[in-house]
Amino acid sequence: MPVISYLAYPEKQHRATLLAELSAHPYCEVIPAENADVFIVVTDTPDRQTDETVRTYLEQHHGLLCLAMIHGQVEDPQE
Amino acid sequence: MTISRREFLKNLAIGSALTAASQLIPGVSFAWEKPTSQHGSDITWKKAPCRFCGTGCGLLIGVSEGRAVAVKGDPQSAVNKGLLCVKGYHSIQALYGEDRLKKAMIRKNGQMVEVPIKEALDLIAQKIKETIQSHGKDAVSMYGSGQWTIPDGYAASKLMKGCIGTNNLEANARLCMASAVTGFMTTFGLDEPMGCYEDMDHADTFFLWGNNMSEMHPVLFSRILERKRTHPRTLIIDFATRSTRTSVAADRSILFRPQSDLAVANAICYELFRTQRIDLSFLQKHCSFRKGKTQIGYGLQDKFAFQDTPEITNLDEYKKFLEDYTPEKVEKISGVSAEDIRYMASLYGDPTRNVVSYWCMGMNQHTRGTWINNLVYNIHLLVGKISRPGNGPFSLTGQPSACGTVREVGTLTHKLPKGMVMDPKARKFASDIWKVPYSRIPAKPTYDTVEMFRALDRGDIRFMWIQTTNPMVTMPNLRRYRDATKKQGRFIVVSEIYPTPTTAIADVILPSAMWIEREGMFGNSERRTQHWEKMVNPPGDAMSDTWQIIEVARRLGFTKEFPWSEDKHIEHIWNEYTRFHDNPAHRMADYETLKRESGVIWPYVNGRSTQWRYNTQLDPATKRRNGAVDFYGKPEGKAWIWLRPYEAAPEEPSKDYPFWLNTGRVLEHWHTGSMTRRIPTLHQAVPASYVEIHPLDAKRLNIRHGDKVKLTSPRGSILINASLNQRACPPLGQVFVPFFDENYLINELTLDAYCPISRQPDYKKCAVRVERA
């Protein structure tokens, strides 16, 4: 059950749509900076496979300039 | 209000991201309020230095129900100011790998079987006694680490040198920092940098000598980038043998041919004289000149012996010596254009610039490691840019306590906690503090690390106790030394936390308590000592390395020398150890101060850290106060400028082996990967080692990215996947392989040549053949 946080730097022209898109994503929580072009994105997924899918989605998103993983906690269900 | 554990973890993840963002973008704000909760109050936060590199980042570790559950950067730490790298953020997960060693094991009939730890400790003591009886005390050895805590190293030194009476004590810092030590000693008479990390807040010119700082010391590199962001005049010069992420971030990337940094450093000095950028007043007051032996060999033979002989010389001879190093001549040796050499000299010589030089393994793992250290000091001495804020040469360390334990406690064959074994006064001082007979501490050093393993191979050493290091991955020319451990009549003890290629050759394995599972202290690159308390219990029978040594010492009859109780032994060891350094040049903080502070820098005098040594205004140990500095490590108070020539590497590319092989690390993994490869996020980020090849070389050899490649040196070969245009790129004719992956033992190919003065091996240069497999 991974919980991962990222710093995400949006392309300026895609900032608003990216924020809306990620906010609507079932496994993402987004906290935009108030005074800079950066978001904190937290993914909370039920298993590693979903986490991988969400990460790939983020990494390949055309509206993102850069994605930096900051913190990760992976707890498997049996734990 | 109560929140679930998942909510807690989410808040923690957000908190880490907030901290990271605030460091990267000062002043950034987010509309997020941390929820308060009863569950949150169950977490106790305690300070500790990071377990990994030598930066010494301050961590706050969240402990709940006897388990470390969270990490954040310590905003009180002057080192990292709340920021951590990806290894630091994931560090606690290294405690909880599935295959942690929890029980002692003994080899019986060829198989490792679990035994009570008491039985293993009894056997170790018995084997030490038997070996001494049959082969003499110099047949017993101990090999430790720059990851040893200070108390581990101190207990080991006292046991080996003071109790058993052998100088067969070495540590893996010989493989990473010895050239920095001999460099400092030969130039200044005292070890360790004169400056500190705060130099980064005052400098505007950063020279990185063969140092991929963005990956190896990412938090410090972030501080440099922040300096650049706030002071646009700042320049970063990446002077290296391959292009890395550091090169991309630098203002200028200058590539040189392996080994030719010696020539370039001299050329910079030549150019400083030519352009009259020398600080003559500083030079006359604070420097004198020496030359040593040349054509000094490479330590490739067993029982290699070398002793340098400093000879007094003068400024005129030095200037004449430099005439062999005009930028045009050096361009031919180094591949660095004369224009770039002049550019570098112009920055060092610009009186309006504050200049710091950083280096790590590129300069230290070098068959002329001492010389290149001397030569970079020469540059700073010629322009007087040393021992003042924002100016100085600074060797970074790769291990958390290479300085604190190996260099300061002195866990090397020639060292004592204060001074050298060759010095009768140092032996007397140690015997008085240790309360052991003076005659018991031998006056002659025995084996450096490479020679210690050669002695094991020859049979001169029969017993070796290895703690907190993984030599069966890290020794150069590895096959010879691995085969040595398997020879009849050798007995190897390994204290570890996980199975490694080194535990695989052990006769006894002791499970060690790791990092915050015991109390300890580390000393980082900037002379900062950092204490942490025991936060969680170790698993199973695991025991701290310090206590393992004490248990064995007592079984050998040294109870009087190791009388301390288990709950207070770290405090007692610290109090005894600091008696060695009770002088203004090296005074350490007391135990209570260390417990309270996020680390303090020695010399710690009158409640204050000394950030810039030798500076007459800032260092209480200075005596001659009529100038800017007093290099009090040398009797005459002057630093020595050395005439050190360029000499070629022992093995260069040839018809049969046409490529240079360079080895090193990557951001996500730490050293041999025995911890970071057990952290899922880090392992997934870089799951396997690889060989970086220049795309044109690859094309010529019909190699594509991901293809299996055979690398062969005169000592062995491996199959490994090719990496093209990924995180870094070597120049034509060079390849690079990270050493973190035990499945690809690149050190089976490297050469066990070393600097004859420091006896540190060169892992950066040997010749290989590259073929598509």
Side-chain angles (χ1 to χ4, degrees):
Chain A
M1 298 172 74
V3 175
I4 315 269
S5 65
Y6 302 88
L7 286 182
Y9 296 82
E11 294 269 16
K12 269 205 171 110
Q13 68 271 30
H14 296 302
R15 189 181 193 279
T17 48
L18 182 70
L19 179 59
E21 219 175 286
L22 293 183
S23 300
H25 194 286
Y27 296 118
C28 292
E29 184 178 329
V30 192
I31 306 166
E34 294 170 313
N35 55 355
D37 275 333
V38 63
F39 303 157
I40 290 171
V41 179
V42 183
T43 61
D44 182 355
T45 48
D47 53 54
R48 290 173 193 242
Q49 198 182 344
T50 314
D51 175 62
E52 196 61 44
T53 309
V54 175
R55 190 183 312 171
T56 307
Y57 160 75
L58 290 171
E59 283 169 353
Q60 294 178 353
H61 200 293
H62 71 285
L64 266 177
L65 199 60
C66 173
L67 184 73
M69 183 188 289
I70 299 296
H71 180 103
Q73 184 82 28
V74 179
E75 288 191 332
D76 288 328
Q78 65 267 27
E79 289 176 356
Chain B
M1 173 181 141
T2 57
I3 61 172
S4 68
R5 179 168 170 74
R6 293 212 57 74
E7 279 303 314
F8 167 74
L9 291 174
K10 274 177 79 171
N11 292 337
L12 186 67
I14 294 170
S16 298
L18 285 169
T19 306
S22 68
Q23 292 298 317
L24 293 166
I25 312 165
V28 70
S29 70
F30 291 85
W32 183 76
E33 212 167 289
K34 189 178 178 183
T36 54
S37 71
Q38 288 173 359
H39 187 92
S41 66
D42 292 342
I43 306 286
T44 307
W45 294 94
K46 297 181 178 182
K47 72 175 175 73
C50 182
R51 168 65 181 78
F52 295 120
C53 82
T55 301
C57 290
L59 271 57
L60 290 174
I61 312 248
V63 178
S64 177
E65 297 169 4
R67 189 176 165 94
V69 296
V71 179
K72 56 186 178 183
D74 181 356
Q76 301 301 316
S77 168
V79 172
N80 53 311
K81 302 177 181 182
L83 181 65
L84 296 176
C85 80
V86 68
K87 293 188 290 296
Y89 279 122
H90 292 89
S91 53
I92 55 168
Q93 292 182 28
L95 297 164
Y96 302 116
E98 285 173 3
D99 54 345
R100 254 314 277 275
L101 294 169
K102 297 171 186 165
K103 292 280 180 191
M105 285 187 264
I106 289 177
R107 193 173 295 280
K108 291 181 178 174
N109 300 321
Q111 298 295 315
M112 295 306 285
V113 294
E114 289 187 357
V115 295
I117 195 162
K118 186 179 170 304
E119 185 182 329
L121 294 164
D122 288 343
L123 178 63
I124 294 166
Q126 180 198 325
K127 284 287 175 186
I128 291 175
K129 284 179 191 169
E130 285 174 6
T131 306
I132 292 172
Q133 205 163 26
S134 311
H135 302 282
K137 60 190 180 181
D138 281 344
V140 172
S141 65
M142 190 160 200
Y143 183 56
S145 167
Q147 300 151 65
W148 254 347
T149 68
I150 292 172
D152 297 338
Y154 183 77
S157 179
K158 187 171 182 178
L159 171 64
M160 298 302 287
K161 302 196 175 201
C163 296
I164 292 175
T166 175
N167 285 325
N168 281 356
L169 175 67
E170 275 281 299
N172 68 358
R174 176 76 75 178
L175 311 179
C176 71
M177 291 315 306
S179 299
V181 176
T182 47
F184 278 122
M185 294 299 291
T186 49
T187 297
F188 302 101
L190 288 174
D191 185 24
E192 299 205 34
M194 51 287 298
C196 61
Y197 296 156
E198 206 180 299
D199 280 320
M200 293 173 197
D201 303 335
H202 301 281
D204 54 29
T205 309
F206 297 91
F207 274 92
L208 311 179
W209 286 76
N211 183 200
N212 181 11
M213 205 174 176
S214 71
E215 289 202 73
M216 303 317 140
H217 297 88
V219 169
L220 297 180
F221 196 62
S222 297
R223 284 184 67 166
I224 291 179
L225 292 179
E226 174 60 10
R227 175 69 179 165
K228 185 170 172 55
R229 197 185 68 79
T230 54
H231 291 76
R233 186 170 186 258
T234 301
L235 292 172
I236 303 168
I237 312 300
D238 178 48
F239 183 61
T241 57
R242 69 181 180 119
S243 300
T244 63
R245 290 175 175 179
T246 304
S247 320
V248 174
D251 295 278
R252 192 83 162 251
S253 164
I254 300 172
L255 293 176
F256 65 93
R257 291 191 192 115
Q259 192 85 354
S260 70
D261 43 359
L262 296 157
V264 174
N266 277 327
I268 290 171
C269 294
Y270 171 88
E271 192 61 15
L272 289 170
F273 276 104
R274 193 190 67 79
T275 54
Q276 299 183 332
R277 289 298 196 184
I278 305 297
D279 185 340
L280 277 174
S281 159
F282 186 92
L283 200 60
Q284 282 159 2
K285 261 190 196 162
H286 304 301
C287 305
S288 59
F289 298 85
R290 295 292 186 282
K291 59 183 176 185
K293 292 180 180 169
T294 57
Q295 300 298 327
I296 60 179
Y298 300 100
L300 282 162
Q301 312 82 18
D302 278 36
K303 300 184 181 178
F304 176 85
F306 174 77
Q307 182 71 47
D308 204 5
T309 316
E311 191 184 316
I312 293 174
T313 180
N314 56 46
L315 178 58
D316 289 339
E317 273 201 54
Y318 178 50
K319 284 161 79 172
K320 199 172 166 200
F321 163 83
L322 290 177
E323 283 170 12
D324 282 343
Y325 298 96
T326 65
E328 283 73 18
K329 285 180 188 171
V330 169
E331 179 175 330
K332 289 180 188 139
I333 300 169
S334 66
V336 180
S337 71
E339 185 192 342
D340 277 345
I341 291 170
R342 291 197 180 98
Y343 172 68
M344 290 195 283
S346 73
L347 295 179
Y348 274 111
D350 183 342
T352 70
R353 285 195 169 273
N354 289 339
V355 186
V356 184
S357 302
Y358 289 106
W359 67 92
C360 198
M361 294 306 107
M363 268 175 46
N364 293 337
Q365 291 177 339
H366 194 309
T367 48
R368 294 292 178 265
T370 308
W371 289 9
I372 185 62
N373 274 262
N374 292 147
L375 294 179
V376 173
Y377 303 144
N378 286 359
I379 300 172
H380 281 269
L381 290 167
L382 289 180
V383 293
K385 293 185 179 183
I386 193 163
S387 291
R388 56 189 167 95
N391 289 284
F394 197 110
S395 70
L396 296 161
T397 47
Q399 301 189 78
S401 203
C403 286
T405 303
V406 181
R407 293 163 73 169
E408 292 160 28
V409 175
T411 57
L412 297 169
T413 183
H414 63 291
K415 285 273 290 164
L416 286 165
K418 182 176 169 55
M420 312 275 188
V421 295
M422 300 79 89
D423 178 2
K425 281 186 194 160
R427 295 200 304 277
K428 178 73 173 59
F429 191 51
S431 67
D432 286 349
I433 291 176
W434 285 343
K435 296 189 173 68
V436 299
Y438 168 76
S439 58
R440 194 186 284 165
I441 304 173
K444 205 175 159 198
T446 52
Y447 308 112
D448 59 85
T449 293
V450 170
E451 190 56 35
M452 184 183 268
F453 280 88
R454 288 175 182 167
L456 186 74
D457 187 25
R458 293 192 301 267
D460 297 337
I461 284 177
R462 297 292 176 137
F463 173 98
M464 186 181 284
W465 185 355
I466 299 165
Q467 282 195 326
T468 333
T469 185
N470 194 4
M472 293 302 108
V473 176
T474 57
M475 285 302 291
N477 192 11
L478 178 59
R479 188 168 295 168
R480 176 181 178 189
Y481 304 118
R482 188 174 57 234
D483 290 349
T485 65
K486 295 174 185 166
K487 282 188 171 173
Q488 193 69 28
R490 313 297 190 271
F491 195 86
I492 311 290
V493 178
V494 179
S495 301
E496 252 299 356
I497 58 170
Y498 286 112
T500 67
T502 304
T503 60
I505 54 92
D507 297 291
V508 174
I509 299 172
L510 292 178
S512 289
M514 179 189 164
W515 185 33
I516 56 169
E517 294 166 348
R518 42 78 54 87
E519 184 184 5
M521 298 94 169
F522 285 154
N524 79 350
S525 293
E526 60 165 353
R527 295 175 279 114
R528 183 181 295 274
T529 314
Q530 294 162 289
H531 170 272
W532 71 93
E533 62 181 85
K534 178 178 173 181
M535 300 179 201
V536 294
N537 286 322
D541 288 345
M543 179 186 282
S544 81
D545 291 342
T546 310
W547 199 251
Q548 290 174 15
I549 293 168
I550 291 172
E551 287 281 357
V552 170
R554 289 176 177 176
R555 283 164 169 78
L556 294 170
F558 301 114
T559 305
K560 184 167 64 68
E561 289 80 0
F562 294 90
W564 312 300
S565 64
E566 196 166 358
D567 61 331
K568 289 273 187 190
H569 68 289
I570 298 295
E571 181 178 356
H572 287 299
I573 286 175
W574 183 255
N575 291 339
E576 184 177 299
Y577 164 56
T578 49
R579 289 175 60 198
F580 281 92
H581 297 308
D582 191 17
N583 62 77
H586 200 144
R587 187 163 294 140
M588 315 290 286
D590 63 79
Y591 182 72
E592 289 304 321
T593 301
L594 284 184
K595 280 184 78 171
R596 193 177 61 243
E597 303 285 337
S598 293
V600 293
I601 295 177
W602 63 263
Y604 186 76
V605 180
N606 298 328
R608 292 187 65 182
S609 293
T610 303
Q611 290 178 291
W612 288 278
R613 288 159 94 198
Y614 311 132
N615 182 310
T616 49
Q617 304 299 309
L618 302 170
D619 181 350
T622 55
K623 296 182 195 86
R624 307 166 188 88
R625 301 226 164 128
N626 57 341
V629 294
D630 171 14
F631 293 118
Y632 52 78
K634 293 288 187 190
E636 73 278 31
K638 291 184 174 186
W640 291 2
I641 287 182
W642 282 90
L643 283 61
R644 302 291 202 190
Y646 163 76
E647 287 182 3
E651 184 175 281
E652 294 188 331
S654 60
K655 187 168 166 283
D656 290 338
Y657 303 99
F659 284 81
W660 285 106
L661 168 65
N662 178 9
T663 68
R665 296 174 284 167
V666 294
L667 167 68
E668 293 82 355
H669 287 294
W670 195 72
H671 282 200
T672 63
S674 60
M675 290 177 284
T676 49
R677 291 183 75 241
R678 285 169 170 92
I679 297 173
T681 309
L682 300 179
H683 179 53
Q684 283 162 21
V686 191
S689 187
Y690 50 82
V691 55
E692 287 174 359
I693 308 173
H694 190 283
L696 292 179
D697 280 328
K699 192 175 175 187
R700 184 172 52 81
L701 296 167
N702 195 24
I703 294 167
R704 289 167 302 176
H705 178 73
D707 280 353
K708 199 63 95 181
V709 168
K710 185 180 183 188
L711 297 183
T712 308
S713 84
R715 293 155 293 280
S717 65
I718 60 167
L719 294 176
I720 190 166
N721 288 333
S723 170
L724 270 60
N725 283 330
Q726 299 297 301
R727 67 175 62 199
C729 182
L732 282 167
Q734 294 186 34
V735 294
F736 172 84
V737 178
F739 70 91
F740 69 85
D741 188 346
E742 66 187 46
N743 298 308
Y744 300 94
L745 292 171
I746 190 60
N747 280 315
E748 291 193 351
L749 277 63
T750 53
L751 180 66
D752 51 350
Y754 54 67
C755 166
I757 302 172
S758 69
R759 296 176 171 256
Q760 175 169 351
D762 188 334
Y763 291 88
K764 303 295 186 186
K765 303 168 209 86
C766 72
V768 293
R769 183 166 62 243
V770 180
E771 300 159 285
R772 188 176 173 184

